[in-house]
Amino acid sequence: MKINKLLILLLGLLGGQTAPGQSLKLPFFDDFSTAQQTASPTRWVAGSNVYINNTLTINHPSVNVATFDGLRLSGLPYSLNDENAEGGTDTLTSLPIDLGGLAVSNGVFLSFYWQRRGLGELPDATDSLSLEFLGSDGTWRKVWTQGGGVIDNNFAFQLLQVDNPIYFHPAFQFRFRSRGRQSGMFDSWHIDYVYLNRDRTATNRPLRDRAMRQPVTPLLRRYTAMPLWQYLAKPAAELADTVRSDFTNLFTEFIPINSRFSLRDRVSGRVFQQDTLPNPINALGLSRNSLAFKPKMPTGLQGRAVLQASFNLVTKDQSSPDTPGLDLTLNDTLSATTVLDNYYAYDDGTAETVKQVNQRLARVAVKFTINQPDAVRGVRLNIAPTRRDQRGQLVLLGIYGNNNGQPTDQPILQQPFSVSYAAQRNGFTEFIFANPVNVPDSVFYVAFSQLDDPAIPIGFDRNSPFRDKLFVNLGTRWDRVTDQDGALMIRPVMNNGTVIITATEPTLAVQVFPNPTAGPLNWGGALAGAVQLDVLDLSGRLVQTQSLSPAQTSTDLGTLPDGFYLLRFIDAEARPRTSKLIIRH
């Protein structure tokens, strides 16, 4: 008896868990509906890198899924030094579950839904998602596995019987493990609605459950977030007509369902709306059903607001005799927040993939429309670590004016920054300009380009409905991107509606050329008559100075190393004129 107790304790330690006296009791159920990014520590071993979300999947059974891919929970890949690295990626392990005293005849089954890809990347045929059970001998045994390479937008239902006596011990555990590319957001798998219980059969008696599912649509008509002062300038024009979501009836029988909708400010605590559908929805068995409410205008907003729109099903999905201990009302609520602060956004804060331009010096611009004069203080970028470590690489951020519905040829402002990564998945890095730049029109564009290879991957929200804002310039002209399937995760930070009055050096209408150059440089127009040329680096340090003859219109800077420089031309009256230059040998 002492040996058996010692073995059970050892199994708990091998599983990274507590002694068997603390093992969970049946039933085990988790549809991840109440988790935020990380799996619940009341059900799963802490430290898992699976990503709990409601945006990366298609046709999921209920709100939130667990996603397996090549990223750690921090957002960094498992391998950031080898872009072709393959191997184990995410693992999700249950806490110990007490199956002691049970046998195969007790009908213990584990069921779950699973999907390849969703809105992520399709796993290759050699990639896999596997399920393993922990035996009383301390050995993990594979009981189920699936390979990639097959496109199916539906979730598959899987039901497995615990059919080996070696699994019936007081510290039983199960775990899901994925295998694929380790250098980024690759090879996506998703699981949902994990349910382990006794007295089940192979015909699978479904749970009497109704659940919220689809992400709530934006509360705003044109953005997912915007500065509060810009919203208050035209609130009726900015508020969406309707906010939508949907729910599923996961049971096989018809049932009428009602829903509530609420709108509140999480900053002040004020509630602006609490409505209920006038009539219940007749939800057929195994059906999906749409929900829609007209939001009411929030009033009295000041400083900063975080508006929370919530749907709540009115059900009786509490514990039933066949599922004691389960509260199936937890998945009856779904919320979304809209931030009214100091920035604009088209994305919902989650990246389903990344976008990049595989051409050095190419520019990508995103269009923004404002309601009143303002200035841009900086830009927030979701730079997604992918394939290699690009920290320290230069990215060039610019603000452009509007030229008949597309960016102007020349920027109002450009400034280079060093790439860094956010501290968590889906995080943003903020780049603040040396000085805020005024927006001269109601429309402006935020652009980025890379000065060096390789391409910089920017997070892309495939769920965003705002899909007509992207432009690209591969050389001499801007073109609208017409095949968009979401929104680039780039957010301009505004200046509180304050226009900046500055005394700066005049902007040149005529630029130096060629640009970039390996050394030879030409100029003319407004630069003609310069008697001195100063070359400064990114920090403003003087790198080189040379005297010019009044008639001189060319020189050679080929001795300078590759990089981004500021050229300062000074005329005979000591007036400076500046231009930017990229040297690339």
Side-chain angles (χ1 to χ4, degrees):
M1 186 61 147
K2 291 182 179 180
I3 295 177
N4 289 339
K5 288 183 178 179
L6 180 62
L7 175 61
I8 292 171
L9 177 60
L10 178 60
L11 290 175
L13 294 175
L14 288 173
Q17 290 306 310
T18 56
Q22 297 173 289
S23 292
L24 301 176
K25 303 296 183 183
L26 292 177
F28 179 103
F29 174 79
D30 197 356
D31 70 344
F32 312 105
S33 60
T34 60
Q36 299 292 327
Q37 293 206 12
T38 60
S40 171
T42 65
R43 288 287 181 267
W44 306 97
V45 172
S48 170
N49 288 302
V50 296
Y51 169 47
I52 309 302
N53 68 94
N54 198 42
T55 61
L56 264 167
T57 63
I58 302 171
N59 298 327
H60 45 304
S62 65
V63 54
N64 285 2
V65 299
T67 293
F68 297 70
D69 59 16
L71 293 181
R72 302 178 188 271
L73 197 60
S74 65
L76 291 175
Y78 283 90
S79 174
L80 202 51
N81 298 314
D82 180 2
E83 64 178 286
N84 298 313
E86 300 271 350
T89 49
D90 291 341
T91 298
L92 182 63
T93 306
S94 74
L95 292 175
I97 304 165
D98 187 4
L99 298 188
L102 298 178
V104 175
S105 60
N106 291 112
V108 179
F109 282 79
L110 174 67
S111 62
F112 56 94
Y113 290 86
W114 65 275
Q115 183 185 56
R116 303 179 186 89
R117 191 180 70 161
L119 291 178
E121 194 211 34
L122 178 68
D124 298 325
T126 55
D127 302 326
S128 64
L129 177 68
S130 300
L131 173 65
E132 299 174 343
F133 289 169
L134 179 65
S136 58
D137 59 353
T139 300
W140 288 96
R141 292 171 173 81
K142 187 180 296 185
V143 298
W144 175 88
T145 188
Q146 286 289 330
V150 178
I151 297 177
D152 188 345
N153 288 334
N154 293 314
F155 267 77
F157 178 77
Q158 192 68 45
L159 179 67
L160 299 169
Q161 185 174 13
V162 182
D163 59 359
N164 189 328
I166 202 168
Y167 300 134
F168 293 97
H169 59 92
F172 169 78
Q173 289 176 271
F174 64 91
R175 68 184 183 189
F176 294 92
R177 308 181 76 186
S178 60
R179 180 179 179 83
R181 194 171 181 182
Q182 298 175 318
S183 56
M185 195 190 307
F186 300 116
D187 305 325
S188 299
W189 301 86
H190 318 280
I191 64 169
D192 194 11
Y193 221 78
V194 181
Y195 176 42
L196 175 72
N197 204 0
R198 58 176 295 173
D199 302 323
R200 302 181 69 188
T201 67
T203 57
N204 178 46
R205 181 171 54 193
L207 297 177
R208 298 176 182 269
D209 191 17
R210 270 64 55 176
M212 291 298 302
R213 192 184 71 92
Q214 195 70 11
V216 178
T217 60
L219 184 64
L220 301 177
R221 191 187 304 271
R222 298 189 298 174
Y223 298 102
T224 57
M226 65 184 300
L228 178 59
W229 62 90
Q230 293 285 351
Y231 167 79
L232 292 176
K234 295 182 179 180
E238 296 295 349
L239 194 67
D241 290 331
T242 307
V243 179
R244 303 178 184 276
S245 183
D246 72 3
F247 72 93
T248 54
N249 180 7
L250 295 166
F251 194 50
T252 54
E253 297 178 1
F254 160 89
I255 187 171
I257 296 290
N258 210 323
S259 177
R260 301 187 184 98
F261 176 79
S262 65
L263 182 61
R264 60 184 289 265
D265 177 18
R266 290 172 53 174
V267 176
S268 66
R270 295 181 61 197
V271 177
F272 305 107
Q273 184 174 357
Q274 286 183 316
D275 287 346
T276 303
L277 289 176
N279 299 298
I281 295 175
N282 295 321
L284 301 177
L286 304 177
S287 66
R288 295 187 184 129
N289 304 267
S290 298
L291 293 172
F293 284 88
K294 182 178 179 61
K296 295 180 180 178
M297 182 68 65
T299 58
L301 301 178
Q302 295 180 352
R304 177 178 182 269
V306 179
L307 302 180
Q308 178 173 296
S310 300
F311 288 85
N312 178 251
L313 299 179
V314 182
T315 72
K316 297 180 180 180
D317 288 343
Q318 288 83 4
S319 298
S320 61
D322 57 333
T323 54
L326 294 187
D327 184 359
L328 298 178
T329 64
L330 296 178
N331 55 24
D332 291 352
T333 300
L334 180 57
S335 301
T337 57
T338 300
V339 177
L340 301 177
D341 191 1
N342 66 346
Y343 65 92
Y344 284 101
Y346 293 120
D347 64 271
D348 62 9
T350 63
E352 285 70 54
T353 186
V354 300
K355 296 286 187 179
Q356 59 190 34
V357 180
N358 295 314
Q359 180 173 318
R360 190 172 60 185
L361 304 180
R363 290 171 287 175
V364 176
V366 179
K367 178 181 179 181
F368 294 89
T369 303
I370 62 177
N371 292 327
Q372 62 181 20
D374 212 330
V376 184
R377 296 180 53 244
V379 176
R380 293 172 185 163
L381 280 180
N382 174 253
I383 302 177
T386 307
R387 294 192 178 97
R388 59 187 68 83
D389 191 345
Q390 293 177 263
R391 283 172 287 199
Q393 185 175 330
L394 292 180
V395 59
L396 186 63
L397 298 179
I399 304 299
Y400 287 74
N402 183 45
N403 180 21
N404 295 320
Q406 64 180 22
T408 52
D409 292 335
Q410 299 300 328
I412 305 170
L413 169 75
Q414 274 188 321
Q415 185 174 332
F417 294 91
S418 180
V419 167
S420 61
Y421 295 139
Q424 68 280 332
R425 183 166 182 157
N426 294 319
F428 285 79
T429 302
E430 185 170 84
F431 303 96
I432 299 299
F433 296 129
N435 294 293
V437 56
N438 294 331
V439 177
D441 198 352
S442 61
V443 175
F444 71 97
Y445 301 79
V446 179
F448 77 92
S449 61
Q450 64 222 26
L451 302 178
D452 302 292
D453 291 330
I456 297 173
I458 305 298
F460 194 79
D461 175 17
R462 294 188 62 188
N463 298 291
S464 174
F466 308 114
R467 303 184 174 192
D468 59 345
K469 315 298 181 184
L470 198 59
F471 295 79
V472 64
N473 190 322
L474 300 180
T476 60
R477 71 177 191 184
W478 289 100
D479 294 302
R480 183 186 293 272
V481 180
T482 57
D483 59 344
Q484 299 172 54
D485 57 352
L488 204 63
M489 295 175 67
I490 181 168
R491 300 174 169 184
V493 182
M494 308 305 287
N495 199 51
N496 198 30
T498 303
V499 176
I500 304 300
I501 301 176
T502 59
T504 61
E505 298 173 356
T507 301
L508 291 178
V510 178
Q511 301 295 306
V512 295
F513 60 94
N515 192 3
T517 179
L521 188 68
N522 302 282
W523 64 86
L527 296 177
V531 297
Q532 180 178 315
L533 171 60
D534 296 334
V535 182
L536 298 88
D537 65 12
L538 296 178
S539 64
R541 181 178 62 89
L542 184 64
V543 174
Q544 184 184 111
T545 187
Q546 56 181 270
S547 297
L548 305 174
S549 66
Q552 186 173 345
T553 58
S554 66
T555 189
D556 195 304
L557 300 177
T559 60
L560 295 175
D562 287 4
F564 186 91
Y565 295 91
L566 179 70
L567 305 181
R568 183 167 58 199
F569 292 84
I570 302 175
D571 65 16
E573 297 180 9
R575 293 178 302 187
R577 295 182 181 271
T578 60
S579 186
K580 300 177 179 69
L581 178 70
I582 297 171
I583 293 182
R584 192 69 75 231
H585 292 95

